Amino acid sequence: MIVLQLPIARLTRHWPPQRTLVLGFLLLALAFVLPALRHELPGGWWQDTWLPYAGLMLLLMLGQMCVQPLALSLVPHFAAHQQLPLHYGALASVAGCIVLASNVWLGRLFDLDSSGRLFWQASAAFPLASALFFLLGGNRLFRQMEQPPQS
């Protein structure tokens, strides 16, 4: 992760924020699709290996390397400069609450289907929805951020 973070940041720095976020969230969604495919594809070597989980970890890291730095760089656009630490703290708190709540919800899905199929499909749905949000509505959001605040 340490080796790839700087080259990825250097590459995506020249991209529009919308493209970077869409790519990052698509990588995160694809990460959860790999273990789900383990249940969908016919039997054989794919089901008996750790490769879907290695792919999960690799794609999670790559997706986070795209999304996280950009998300942190967007916080100042939403915060007054004197309240910047408050907004960073709010971002971290909300993210932590979402992780806790989604773990409870996704854990219940795992209880309903012991194969894990529902769990992995639902896990892929959240980043996929985020990618679609930024793909379809991201232009308007980022155009609004480029305009100076009105007093």
Side-chain angles (χ1 to χ4, degrees), residues 43-62:
W45 68 272
W46 178 259
Q47 290 183 336
D48 298 329
T49 68
W50 49 266
L51 288 176
Y53 302 107
L56 166 80
M57 295 309 298
L58 178 66
L59 290 173
L60 279 177
M61 287 191 302
L62 291 173

Side-chain angles (χ1 to χ4, degrees), residues 54-106:
L56 166 80
M57 295 309 298
L58 178 66
L59 290 173
L60 279 177
M61 287 191 302
L62 291 173
Q64 277 294 108
M65 285 187 230
C66 291
V67 171
Q68 188 66 21
L70 183 57
L72 292 175
S73 73
L74 294 176
V75 170
H77 292 283
F78 297 104
H81 289 291
Q82 64 270 30
Q83 295 181 339
L84 194 55
L86 177 69
H87 283 77
Y88 279 116
L91 174 65
S93 297
V94 169
C97 290
I98 290 171
V99 167
L100 287 173
S102 64
N103 282 334
V104 170
W105 184 74
L106 291 171

Side-chain angles (χ1 to χ4, degrees), residues 17 70 73-78 134 138-149:
L70 183 57
S73 73
L74 294 176
V75 170
H77 292 283
F78 297 104
F134 285 110
N139 279 336
R140 194 174 82 213
L141 173 69
F142 291 113
R143 272 197 307 268
Q144 287 174 344
M145 289 175 47
E146 291 171 358
Q147 296 173 358

